[in-house]
Amino acid sequence: MATGSIGRIAVLGAGPVVEHGAWPVKSVIGESFEVTATVFAEGHDAVRATVVLTDPGGRAHSVAMTRVNAGLDAWAATVSGARTGLWSYRVEGWSDPYGTWSHDAVVKVGAGVDVELMLEEGARLLERAVAGVARSRDQAAVLTDAIAGLRDAGQPPEGRLSAGVSSEVRAELDARPLRDHVTPSREFPWRVERERALYGAWYEFFPRSEGARLDEGTGEWTSGTLRTAARRLDAVAAMGFDIVYLTPIHPIGAVNRKGRNNSLGAGPSDPGSPYAIGSADGGHDSIHPDLGTFTDFGAFVTRAHELGLEVALDLALNCAPDHPWAASHPEWFTIRADGSIAYAENPPKKYQDIYPLNFDNDPEGLYAEILRVVRVWLDHGVTIFRVDNPHTKPLWLWERLIADVATTHPDVIWLAEAFTRPPMMHTLAKIGFQQSYTYFTWRNTRAELQEYCAELAGPAAAYMRPNFWPTTHDILTPAMQHGGPQTWKTRAVLAATLSPSYGIYAGYELVERVARPGAEEQIDNEKYEFRDRRWAEREAEGTTLTAYLTLINEIRRAHPALHRLRNLRFHHADDEHVLVFSKARRLYDRDDVIIVVANVEPEHTRDTWIHLTMAELGLEPRDHFIAHDLITGEHWNWSEHNFVRLGPATEPVHVIHVLTEGLASSR
Amino acid sequence: MATGSIGRIAVLGAGPVVEHGAWPVKSVIGESFEVTATVFAEGHDAVRATVVLTDPGGRAHSVAMTRVNAGLDAWAATVSGARTGLWSYRVEGWSDPYGTWSHDAVVKVGAGVDVELMLEEGARLLERAVAGVARSRDQAAVLTDAIAGLRDAGQPPEGRLSAGVSSEVRAELDARPLRDHVTPSREFPWRVERERALYGAWYEFFPRSEGARLDEGTGEWTSGTLRTAARRLDAVAAMGFDIVYLTPIHPIGAVNRKGRNNSLGAGPSDPGSPYAIGSADGGHDSIHPDLGTFTDFGAFVTRAHELGLEVALDLALNCAPDHPWAASHPEWFTIRADGSIAYAENPPKKYQDIYPLNFDNDPEGLYAEILRVVRVWLDHGVTIFRVDNPHTKPLWLWERLIADVATTHPDVIWLAEAFTRPPMMHTLAKIGFQQSYTYFTWRNTRAELQEYCAELAGPAAAYMRPNFWPTTHDILTPAMQHGGPQTWKTRAVLAATLSPSYGIYAGYELVERVARPGAEEQIDNEKYEFRDRRWAEREAEGTTLTAYLTLINEIRRAHPALHRLRNLRFHHADDEHVLVFSKARRLYDRDDVIIVVANVEPEHTRDTWIHLTMAELGLEPRDHFIAHDLITGEHWNWSEHNFVRLGPATEPVHVIHVLTEGLASSR
């Protein structure tokens, strides 16, 4: 039980911090965030604060902090990391003797109090600043000139004082201050990851469906293969996606296999759920024979990379009863009192197509095997894992696995599919997952979206990165079932602009919105059967959302403000069904500012005033600007208060680029 | 930079914690507070949580936690410490195999699924519970009987199951559970202090004034002495105070001494400020010759103790220019460029009666001397220090001094007079001060009082204990200057009931409310002159608040609910100038519940409805109770909504004791 002690300067409450520093806070390369702390000392001497960032190579980088609330002694600095790896930061509080002296000297010399003494004390202080801090010859000359000026008895006191408090002297001592009583906080861990950990557009498909063909004569299906699936990659890349995510590609259990629409007792032609993994053909380290070989997988990955796509693989630690592990390592499962292996169950229901793993009988053996399996896929070019139901496995597994993989593959990204209670979701993020599925899928109203996204972009952004999915192969919410194409457009653009990472499940282009009765997922779900979407025919009909999704992804790529989460800000609209938010980002040569105005009930027309917090856009309250709607290409002259109409007859969402060039004269 | 790792069960966010555990949280003996944590695991197995308290002797005490929010996996337990010293606590999360089994067994046996298997697994689990946890013979028999029942093939399954899930078995396993995967949080420090650290009524006086006499003929004063001041102790004790606090009793500087009303240039008869300490007669380890000797001080302390009063001494680390340290240790002060010692100043103003200490030239030497001085007073019976302006000395001084004194005098209490910004005030509490003066003195409206007291009784109560003073010798706010006796009564009773510790400065009885023009303190302030209050004459006039203060202190002593802070709860009144709060405390044999209803602008009559949150009083919404006003002795029949009238013509505050005896029949 460590107990601390207060330093010479009080430096408290430094943040962000995750669980007392047990795990690092996170950012991606170049992503800015605020470090804050409470820094103060006794009495009235000038105090200042600095953040010291230590990079993975051990090099320190200092960033001056600003006192953002004097009454609360609150300090802040905006920082970012320029390379990946485990950084740390600390806050240093220090006494600023020059600040103390210059404040007092101006007052006292002005009042004629202790004049000679104050000037001499200033000279001695600057001598200390010359001797105590490394400076170039020119930099030191600024101070030695000031020392001579302070002691120039031939000048009037005001002139001598001016020499000591000139803007040159202040600038030199701001850049290279004389710091007394430097007091560091604890060192807090901070991990910098590659940008894809925060920002990317995902496209999910079942490889066996891409190229699957039904023989109308026999009624028999031919499975798609990795080779046929690879042909779909051009379209995915053309839509502007960054990641293609494949549902599991391993052999599927034959024992107790599920049939169409999750029915018990599969027919001989039913392909089974790719989430019931393992058969005589192999387990998690194998490829389903119908899909092809590792050579085919290699060709798929190569083609994806050629198109600029990364390949994400599903890691679903479910075993069918005929998984090879069940025979070779029954101790990796739960053994019942009668010696049998326990099925998955939700009493009294049993799921007899799955044996859940038990990590408590042989944790080391099972862990080593899982790590081996993961390395098989790493060796074949997988760079991202989408983990199925991580919340049903022990947390230590993920913490250890993610850390071990990072030792050899530091750029691997892990997405947690933990649709469960908030503490588990947040803890998976804290212990290492780069990304998390979220409750976005169920947040439909403006109030719900604002509250939830403010939480995600606020304190949680220190460690958790959201990935927004309007639908998945498991989830088709009532709102998506009942909403038409306007709703599907709205949900896609909200996902793509509220969150830097978002994803689409194949068929979104076709607004596939028929649910299996009694379930909130697709009817004739691909989990249990092949689906030939006849892409060419459907695209030829001209009614798909393909062009819209392509446009969204183009807008995302062109606008760096949308690559960030922490910059999300909400604005007010009088109509409670209109959501307004902005993202602004300062680039080296310009500001990128996007405003999104969305009708979240797009089946009805909304006429409303919206009210922008201009400071969040980098503007003054009375400024005007050109609002360029990137969806329609229209331009409007906007200011703080603007009228919008969004309805079934129009596009349901404005994605506005704020243009201020050449407007200075209108202010 | 320590990094943690997740355990088998997730145990996160345990609290209360101060600055990541750098300093202990606090309570007094028997004071209850809540330990909370987030505890969960993967999957659906039953999880439970326990707080383990480790006492200063190293003995562990377990307290079961309750799941207070299942959706957030939030657990809580109410704990307290029964002896003083440095305790610690940790939260243990654990898997509850009996809870998992009994839930599943009831469902599955009821549905006829896996019946024999579930019963046998229950029997094996109870065998493990017998073997793995220490139990008496009778306790073990409860389980072995259940095992036999589970396996009794002659009985129907329902009967066998009942044997395994009987209330006796559940009770035995609640008391002595079989715990799997026990996962502890970090150990967090917690200090338990004596009750006086939280609860006490303080009375402040200047000893030289008690017994001071003006010779009307010569106009010369004779100083009161420790012997004459001791005669005032009977009255202080009779009013029911617990602590008598003396302003400094040391020799007073003669150099640049201040005259009456803080004037420069004292006359030869001016006694000077006791806060300008040190002269040829000695320093902080000496007694002013006019007050007497250490023998006299000993007699004062002895008389106080006879009356049940503790003696608190002012520790004011201010030095007059003629303090002995200025000659013996100039390095303990700031030396200017001309070799002189720096006066206190607020540029361009100088305070030439004071040399501030400088702790950076010889920290060890100065610290050793201050510790020696403090030990002089400890050796003479002082048990409490009221520290003057601790925020103008380095924080490390107090952290070290309080800790060092505690090694030999663990029951010493330190009160910080830090009227400064919140971070300093809170940090002084974190690093060791048992009590703090507060902003109560300036919080007058209902809104101000509610907001501030909710903060103090909420998270801050983990480390900071308030002491509420309506006035001090330094502070006479406009509200107290302009308010009459009704206001003075109200402020006293609010201080005495909102906060377990409160204090009164001598003369409060007399409603001394005339300020020096331009200052918010008393005119003819005792800091600069003697004051003979002619107590006997004034009491004979019958207009003092003495009886009221006595009544307040009697009510405090009789009602343990008022000895606590964390139990403060506010209730609503329709009139925004009426403050309503309650404190409830469960005692071993009864509940003590007090409701205070105060007109915070008592110069005007308030007629209003008040609305009680009955659950906070331990009552049901439709309950009635007898409201016994401890101020007037009146009784009313009250329920959730009650009408009150509080005005200049009545007492301004009700202090109500909730009586529910014999009312059960009326429900």
Side-chain angles (χ1 to χ4, degrees):
Chain A
M1 187 177 60
T3 53
S5 62
I6 195 78
R8 183 63 189 81
I9 309 284
V11 182
L12 297 166
V17 177
V18 174
E19 193 70 15
H20 311 302
W23 296 289
V25 298
K26 295 177 187 164
S27 69
V28 296
I29 283 189
E31 183 190 9
S32 298
F33 65 98
E34 252 198 2
V35 171
T36 58
T38 303
V39 180
F40 62 94
E42 80 283 1
H44 298 286
D45 285 1
V47 166
R48 293 177 70 178
T50 305
V51 188
V52 181
L53 313 174
T54 301
D55 70 26
R59 204 176 145 222
H61 311 257
S62 290
V63 182
M65 299 182 83
T66 303
R67 196 186 329 240
V68 291
N69 184 326
L72 294 177
D73 299 304
W75 294 76
T78 299
V79 306
S80 64
R83 53 182 279 205
T84 59
L86 187 61
W87 294 58
S88 66
Y89 76 86
R90 65 177 180 273
V91 171
E92 291 181 347
W94 44 281
S95 184
D96 172 18
Y98 178 74
T100 302
W101 172 82
S102 62
H103 170 269
D104 291 357
V106 168
V107 173
K108 292 176 75 173
V109 173
V113 174
D114 288 348
V115 172
E116 199 61 41
L117 207 48
M118 289 307 294
L119 296 172
E120 175 57 22
E121 286 179 350
R124 292 190 191 181
L125 184 61
L126 293 184
E127 284 174 342
R128 196 152 70 84
V130 171
V133 182
R135 299 173 204 281
S136 72
R137 184 176 307 200
D138 286 354
Q139 290 158 356
V142 172
L143 303 187
T144 50
D145 288 355
I147 293 164
L150 283 162
R151 286 181 174 146
D152 184 355
Q155 296 295 320
E158 293 71 23
R160 294 168 62 187
L161 176 64
S162 296
V165 298
S166 71
S167 56
E168 292 79 8
V169 172
R170 288 185 189 276
E172 173 58 23
L173 289 174
D174 269 344
R176 283 160 290 277
L178 177 64
R179 310 195 309 163
D180 285 345
H181 308 318
V182 178
T183 307
S185 71
R186 271 179 52 195
E187 200 78 23
F188 293 104
W190 161 37
R191 187 178 301 285
V192 179
E193 294 174 316
R194 65 181 174 120
E195 188 173 51
R196 191 60 79 221
L198 175 63
Y199 160 67
W202 294 51
Y203 188 91
E204 171 189 4
F205 67 62
F206 283 64
R208 72 182 180 193
S209 282
E210 301 301 333
R213 288 291 174 267
L214 175 66
D215 182 324
E216 307 257 345
T218 64
E220 289 293 312
W221 281 90
T222 304
S223 177
T225 67
L226 289 165
R227 296 279 175 184
T228 59
R231 293 182 205 136
R232 177 71 184 151
L233 292 174
D234 293 80
V236 173
M239 280 188 280
F241 288 97
D242 304 301
I243 295 144
V244 58
Y245 144 45
L246 306 183
T247 53
I249 59 174
H250 316 301
I252 295 170
V255 176
N256 299 327
R257 176 179 287 189
K258 291 286 183 71
R260 295 177 65 169
N261 284 309
N262 200 27
S263 57
L264 294 178
S269 318
D270 282 332
S273 167
Y275 289 90
I277 295 169
S279 74
D281 292 319
H284 286 76
D285 54 352
S286 305
I287 294 174
H288 194 297
D290 287 355
L291 290 175
T293 65
F294 273 97
T295 306
D296 298 328
F297 185 75
F300 181 94
V301 171
T302 299
R303 180 62 187 147
H305 290 176
E306 285 169 5
L307 292 165
L309 291 164
E310 287 191 64
V311 176
L313 199 64
D314 214 315
L315 182 61
L317 292 176
N318 306 322
C319 296
D322 39 339
H323 192 291
W325 291 343
S328 65
H329 289 282
E331 72 277 16
W332 293 348
F333 302 89
T334 297
I335 310 294
R336 312 244 13 210
D338 63 358
S340 67
I341 294 179
Y343 294 111
E345 51 185 330
N346 183 11
K349 244 173 119 178
K350 288 193 187 191
Y351 304 103
Q352 293 182 302
D353 57 333
I354 297 290
Y355 284 162
L357 292 167
N358 179 325
F359 289 82
D360 291 316
N361 296 331
D362 174 26
E364 291 301 319
L366 180 51
Y367 175 76
E369 172 66 358
I370 292 170
L371 179 59
R372 186 190 67 76
V373 163
V374 166
R375 292 210 180 281
V376 166
W377 299 107
L378 294 170
D379 290 346
H380 287 87
V382 171
T383 49
I384 301 178
F385 291 93
R386 177 268 193 194
V387 178
D388 189 74
N389 284 339
H391 57 292
T392 61
K393 287 88 192 171
L395 285 156
W396 65 258
L397 167 68
W398 305 120
E399 182 175 40
R400 189 168 166 186
L401 188 63
I402 294 169
D404 278 352
V405 166
T407 60
T408 54
H409 295 72
D411 282 344
V412 167
I413 292 167
W414 301 77
L415 166 63
E417 188 234 17
F419 289 119
T420 182
R421 298 187 299 280
M424 172 60 88
M425 194 183 271
H426 286 251
T427 302
L428 288 164
K430 289 175 181 175
I431 66 174
F433 277 92
Q434 280 76 11
Q435 292 193 359
S436 178
Y437 282 77
T438 68
Y439 308 132
F440 167 75
T441 317
W442 297 273
R443 298 290 180 271
N444 292 297
T445 68
R446 176 172 90 177
E448 288 169 353
L449 287 163
Q450 279 197 196
E451 185 190 2
Y452 185 54
C453 294
E455 175 194 326
L456 294 176
Y463 55 85
M464 188 165 82
R465 301 191 191 95
N467 198 326
F468 277 9
W469 292 69
T471 69
T472 76
H473 64 266
D474 285 324
I475 308 169
L476 185 68
T477 61
M480 299 302 282
Q481 296 172 33
H482 303 135
Q486 294 288 86
T487 294
W488 284 58
K489 279 183 165 180
T490 303
R491 295 294 293 176
V493 72
L494 286 179
T497 54
L498 282 165
S499 173
S501 287
Y502 89 111
I504 291 297
Y505 160 50
Y508 200 93
E509 305 94 313
L510 310 181
V511 193
E512 291 178 348
R513 61 188 178 111
V514 181
R516 188 168 81 239
E520 292 191 5
E521 64 174 45
Q522 303 277 355
I523 198 164
D524 302 332
N525 197 304
E526 272 182 288
K527 281 187 289 187
Y528 310 108
E529 60 191 276
F530 299 103
R531 173 168 300 188
D532 175 8
R533 288 195 173 84
R534 303 171 177 267
W535 292 113
E537 290 167 41
R538 298 301 303 276
E539 295 294 356
E541 291 165 11
T543 57
T544 71
L545 297 184
T546 303
Y548 194 80
L549 295 170
T550 306
L551 178 58
I552 290 174
N553 286 331
E554 276 174 9
I555 293 170
R556 282 170 49 90
R557 287 205 179 157
H559 289 282
L562 297 175
H563 305 184
R564 293 292 181 262
L565 173 67
R566 286 161 153 125
N567 59 350
L568 177 64
R569 300 290 183 274
F570 291 98
H571 303 258
H572 186 69
D574 294 341
D575 188 310
E576 65 174 335
H577 300 292
V578 173
L579 176 72
V580 185
F581 60 90
S582 67
K583 290 187 168 183
R585 182 170 167 194
R586 172 141 294 180
L587 303 167
Y588 72 98
D589 58 344
R590 64 192 161 99
D591 285 347
D592 185 43
V593 184
I594 296 290
I595 303 169
V596 176
V597 184
N599 178 353
V600 298
E601 267 205 1
E603 314 301 329
H604 300 92
T605 300
R606 306 284 165 197
D607 293 313
T608 187
W609 284 91
I610 66 168
H611 309 281
L612 303 171
T613 306
M614 299 292 272
E616 297 291 1
L617 311 176
L619 298 173
E620 300 293 323
R622 297 187 178 284
D623 281 352
H624 287 249
F625 62 91
I626 301 293
H628 176 207
D629 185 355
L630 301 171
I631 301 288
T632 62
E634 290 176 279
H635 290 75
W636 307 294
N637 189 353
W638 270 23
S639 57
E640 187 176 1
H641 308 286
N642 309 286
F643 185 81
V644 298
R645 164 170 291 190
L646 296 164
T650 69
E651 287 294 337
V653 180
H654 295 321
V655 178
I656 287 163
H657 183 210
V658 174
L659 299 175
T660 54
E661 290 287 313
L663 288 179
S665 61
S666 72
R667 291 191 189 178
Chain B
M1 187 176 60
T3 53
S5 63
I6 195 78
R8 183 63 188 81
I9 309 284
V11 182
L12 296 166
V17 177
V18 174
E19 192 70 16
H20 311 301
W23 296 288
V25 298
K26 295 177 188 164
S27 70
V28 296
I29 283 190
E31 183 190 10
S32 298
F33 65 98
E34 252 196 3
V35 171
T36 57
T38 303
V39 180
F40 62 94
E42 80 283 1
H44 297 286
D45 285 0
V47 166
R48 293 177 70 178
T50 304
V51 188
V52 181
L53 314 174
T54 301
D55 70 26
R59 206 178 142 220
H61 311 256
S62 291
V63 182
M65 299 182 84
T66 303
R67 197 188 326 241
V68 292
N69 184 327
L72 294 177
D73 298 305
W75 295 75
T78 299
V79 305
S80 64
R83 53 182 278 203
T84 59
L86 187 60
W87 294 56
S88 66
Y89 76 86
R90 66 178 181 273
V91 171
E92 291 182 347
W94 43 281
S95 184
D96 173 18
Y98 178 75
T100 303
W101 172 83
S102 61
H103 170 270
D104 291 357
V106 167
V107 173
K108 292 177 73 173
V109 173
V113 175
D114 288 348
V115 171
E116 200 60 41
L117 206 49
M118 289 309 293
L119 296 172
E120 175 56 23
E121 286 179 349
R124 292 190 190 180
L125 184 62
L126 293 184
E127 284 174 343
R128 195 151 71 82
V130 171
V133 182
R135 299 174 204 280
S136 72
R137 183 176 308 197
D138 286 353
Q139 290 159 356
V142 171
L143 302 187
T144 49
D145 289 354
I147 293 165
L150 283 161
R151 286 182 173 145
D152 184 354
Q155 296 294 319
E158 293 71 24
R160 293 168 63 187
L161 175 64
S162 296
V165 299
S166 70
S167 56
E168 293 77 12
V169 172
R170 288 186 190 276
E172 172 59 22
L173 289 173
D174 269 345
R176 282 159 292 278
L178 178 65
R179 311 194 309 162
D180 284 346
H181 308 318
V182 177
T183 307
S185 72
R186 270 180 52 195
E187 200 77 24
F188 293 104
W190 161 37
R191 188 178 300 285
V192 179
E193 295 173 316
R194 65 180 173 120
E195 188 172 50
R196 191 61 77 222
L198 175 63
Y199 161 67
W202 294 51
Y203 188 91
E204 170 189 4
F205 67 60
F206 283 64
R208 72 182 180 192
S209 283
E210 300 301 333
R213 289 291 173 267
L214 174 67
D215 182 325
E216 308 256 345
T218 63
E220 290 292 313
W221 281 90
T222 304
S223 176
T225 67
L226 289 165
R227 296 278 175 183
T228 58
R231 292 181 206 139
R232 178 70 184 152
L233 292 174
D234 293 80
V236 173
M239 280 189 280
F241 288 97
D242 304 301
I243 294 145
V244 58
Y245 144 45
L246 307 182
T247 53
I249 59 173
H250 316 301
I252 295 170
V255 176
N256 300 328
R257 175 179 289 188
K258 291 285 184 72
R260 297 178 64 170
N261 284 309
N262 201 26
S263 58
L264 295 178
S269 319
D270 282 333
S273 167
Y275 289 91
I277 295 169
S279 75
D281 292 319
H284 286 77
D285 55 352
S286 305
I287 294 174
H288 194 299
D290 287 354
L291 290 175
T293 64
F294 272 96
T295 306
D296 298 328
F297 186 74
F300 182 93
V301 171
T302 299
R303 181 61 188 148
H305 290 177
E306 284 169 5
L307 293 166
L309 292 164
E310 287 190 64
V311 177
L313 199 65
D314 213 315
L315 182 62
L317 292 176
N318 306 322
C319 296
D322 38 340
H323 193 290
W325 291 343
S328 65
H329 289 281
E331 72 276 14
W332 292 348
F333 302 90
T334 298
I335 311 293
R336 312 244 12 210
D338 62 0
S340 66
I341 294 179
Y343 294 111
E345 52 186 329
N346 182 10
K349 244 173 120 177
K350 288 194 187 190
Y351 303 102
Q352 292 181 302
D353 57 334
I354 297 290
Y355 283 163
L357 292 167
N358 179 324
F359 288 82
D360 291 316
N361 295 332
D362 174 25
E364 291 301 319
L366 180 51
Y367 175 76
E369 172 65 359
I370 290 170
L371 179 59
R372 185 191 67 77
V373 163
V374 166
R375 291 211 181 280
V376 167
W377 300 107
L378 293 171
D379 289 346
H380 286 86
V382 170
T383 49
I384 301 178
F385 291 93
R386 177 270 192 192
V387 178
D388 189 76
N389 284 339
H391 57 291
T392 60
K393 287 86 192 171
L395 285 157
W396 65 259
L397 167 68
W398 305 119
E399 182 175 41
R400 188 167 168 186
L401 187 63
I402 293 169
D404 279 351
V405 166
T407 59
T408 54
H409 294 72
D411 282 346
V412 167
I413 292 167
W414 301 77
L415 166 63
E417 188 234 18
F419 290 119
T420 181
R421 299 188 298 281
M424 172 60 88
M425 195 183 270
H426 286 251
T427 302
L428 288 165
K430 289 175 181 174
I431 65 173
F433 276 93
Q434 279 76 9
Q435 292 194 359
S436 178
Y437 282 77
T438 68
Y439 308 133
F440 167 75
T441 318
W442 296 273
R443 298 291 180 270
N444 291 295
T445 69
R446 176 173 89 176
E448 288 169 352
L449 286 164
Q450 278 195 199
E451 184 189 4
Y452 185 53
C453 293
E455 175 194 325
L456 293 177
Y463 55 85
M464 188 164 82
R465 301 190 191 96
N467 198 326
F468 277 10
W469 292 70
T471 70
T472 75
H473 63 267
D474 284 325
I475 309 169
L476 184 69
T477 61
M480 298 303 282
Q481 296 171 34
H482 303 134
Q486 293 289 85
T487 294
W488 284 58
K489 279 182 166 181
T490 302
R491 294 295 292 177
V493 72
L494 286 178
T497 54
L498 282 164
S499 172
S501 287
Y502 88 112
I504 291 299
Y505 160 49
Y508 200 94
E509 304 94 313
L510 311 181
V511 194
E512 292 178 347
R513 61 189 180 109
V514 181
R516 188 168 80 239
E520 291 191 6
E521 64 175 45
Q522 302 277 357
I523 197 165
D524 302 332
N525 197 303
E526 272 183 289
K527 281 188 287 187
Y528 311 107
E529 60 191 273
F530 298 103
R531 174 168 298 187
D532 174 9
R533 288 194 171 85
R534 302 171 179 267
W535 291 113
E537 290 169 42
R538 300 299 304 277
E539 295 294 356
E541 290 167 12
T543 57
T544 71
L545 298 185
T546 303
Y548 194 79
L549 295 170
T550 306
L551 178 59
I552 290 174
N553 286 332
E554 277 174 9
I555 293 170
R556 282 168 51 90
R557 288 206 180 158
H559 289 282
L562 297 175
H563 305 184
R564 294 291 181 262
L565 172 67
R566 287 161 154 126
N567 59 349
L568 177 64
R569 301 291 182 274
F570 291 98
H571 304 258
H572 187 69
D574 294 341
D575 188 310
E576 65 173 337
H577 300 293
V578 173
L579 176 72
V580 185
F581 60 89
S582 67
K583 290 188 169 183
R585 182 170 167 195
R586 172 141 295 181
L587 303 168
Y588 71 98
D589 59 344
R590 66 194 160 99
D591 285 347
D592 184 44
V593 184
I594 296 289
I595 302 169
V596 176
V597 184
N599 178 353
V600 299
E601 267 205 359
E603 315 300 329
H604 299 92
T605 299
R606 306 282 164 199
D607 293 312
T608 187
W609 284 91
I610 65 169
H611 309 281
L612 303 171
T613 307
M614 299 292 272
E616 296 291 1
L617 311 176
L619 298 173
E620 300 293 324
R622 299 189 177 283
D623 281 351
H624 287 249
F625 62 90
I626 300 294
H628 175 208
D629 185 355
L630 301 171
I631 301 288
T632 63
E634 289 176 280
H635 291 75
W636 308 293
N637 190 352
W638 270 22
S639 57
E640 188 175 0
H641 308 288
N642 308 286
F643 185 81
V644 298
R645 164 170 290 189
L646 296 164
T650 69
E651 286 295 336
V653 181
H654 296 321
V655 179
I656 286 164
H657 183 210
V658 173
L659 298 174
T660 55
E661 290 288 313
L663 288 179
S665 58
S666 73
R667 290 190 188 174

